[in-house]
Amino acid sequence: MNFKSVSSKAKIALGTCLALGLTSTPVLASAVLEPNDFVGISFWLISMALVASTAFFFLERDRVSPKWKTSLTVSGLVTLIAAVHYFYMRDVWVATGSTPTVYRYIDWLITVPLLMIEFYLILSAIAKVPGGVFWRLMIGTLVMLVGGYVGEAGYLAVWPAFIIGMIGWAYILYEIFAGEASKINANSAPKSVQSAFNTMRWIVTIGWAIYPIGYFFGYLTGSNPADSAAALNIIYNLADVLNKIAFGLIIWNVAVTESEAKH
């Protein structure tokens, strides 16, 4: 890519992403990442991948038609917000060896609704979508996240909280597989959008299933706390790669495909 051809807004976005890596302050200045700390290594790798993805999504906005720019912007915001939180989470882990639950859920409370908005946005780019689709996806998302948080933070017993979170997830799956969003996709979307929508909802099905697995290994197996914390964080970190970066790449692909088909 010729950097001179990049828009000034994209240059600013890229500069912001690069600055993130320079402004992260460790929780403890003496904390050092150990070569056998695989959880800490996963935090560092994914935080850098999120920064790179953010730069990519913002720069690629110049390749797509106007109706797809918002979708790519949201994808970039998801990875940007996640990157900032990963800087803090990796420092907490390296310095203390404890699970950064609060940072993770602050991240999710912002980024997961944005991921749900992507379903609404890609359908809105090709059809008129009722506002009810947006609000049903938001309600399911909040129920899922609140259920998970009150269990992990100790406000509610882990099993009831787990069940509440699963109910919210099931509600989302119904909307994107059998509800109004699914019907609009089947009846109004071109093949490229249908393909992206289908892949996105399978990520929400299979990729998001990784989070309950992490919750289970972190809180419901009865293992010692250190092993449980390590399993929980590695599983959550791998899930975020699929559910944030790969999710955004699917949207980027359909946006570029649709835009280039118009030329």
Side-chain angles (χ1 to χ4, degrees):
M1 176 183 292
N2 182 357
F3 194 75
K4 293 181 178 178
S5 67
V6 177
S7 69
S8 59
K9 291 182 179 179
K11 290 179 183 177
I12 293 171
L14 179 57
T16 301
C17 297
L18 295 176
L20 285 173
L22 301 175
T23 57
S24 173
T25 302
V27 175
L28 295 177
S30 60
V32 177
L33 178 65
E34 299 294 336
N36 61 346
D37 182 0
F38 297 110
V39 179
I41 290 170
S42 73
F43 273 119
W44 275 84
L45 287 172
I46 295 168
S47 62
M48 292 298 99
L50 288 165
V51 171
S53 299
T54 301
F56 176 77
F57 292 137
F58 285 156
L59 291 171
E60 285 293 291
R61 290 181 77 257
D62 292 339
R63 289 186 61 189
V64 302
S65 58
K67 69 179 182 180
W68 292 107
K69 289 184 184 296
T70 301
S71 292
L72 279 186
T73 299
V74 171
S75 295
L77 289 174
V78 166
T79 52
L80 173 62
I81 293 164
V84 172
H85 286 90
Y86 261 81
F87 292 144
Y88 284 97
M89 289 192 291
R90 75 188 187 187
D91 291 341
V92 169
W93 176 267
V94 171
T96 69
S98 62
T99 300
T101 302
V102 173
Y103 290 120
R104 198 178 289 279
Y105 272 90
I106 293 173
D107 169 8
W108 288 345
L109 281 169
I110 302 171
T111 58
V112 176
L114 287 174
L115 291 173
M116 288 296 95
I117 288 172
E118 291 283 32
F119 281 100
Y120 182 82
L121 289 175
I122 69 166
L123 292 178
S124 296
I126 49 88
K128 183 175 177 59
V129 183
V133 172
F134 172 87
W135 289 111
R136 285 192 293 274
L137 290 173
M138 289 300 100
I139 290 170
T141 299
L142 291 175
V143 170
M144 178 182 67
L145 292 173
V146 170
Y149 179 71
V150 296
E152 293 202 49
Y155 293 110
L156 188 65
V158 290
W159 271 113
F162 180 75
I163 293 170
I164 292 171
M166 295 296 286
I167 290 172
W169 182 38
Y171 188 74
I172 292 170
L173 292 179
Y174 172 80
E175 177 63 30
I176 60 179
F177 276 95
E180 193 170 9
S182 176
K183 293 174 183 176
I184 293 171
N185 175 61
N187 297 331
S188 304
K191 288 184 178 180
S192 59
V193 174
Q194 288 189 28
S195 176
F197 188 95
N198 290 338
T199 305
M200 287 163 59
R201 64 185 179 184
W202 279 112
I203 285 182
V204 171
T205 305
I206 299 171
W208 286 21
I210 302 173
Y211 295 119
I213 293 171
Y215 186 100
F216 178 82
F217 279 100
Y219 300 101
L220 301 173
T221 62
S223 300
N224 70 72
D227 290 342
S228 295
L232 174 80
N233 283 287
I234 286 178
I235 293 171
Y236 279 173
N237 290 354
L238 293 175
D240 277 347
V241 172
L242 175 63
N243 297 320
K244 291 174 180 172
I245 297 176
F247 197 90
L249 288 173
I250 292 167
I251 294 165
W252 163 80
N253 182 64
V254 69
V256 171
T257 301
E258 281 287 295
S259 301
E260 292 180 348
K262 302 297 183 181
H263 293 87

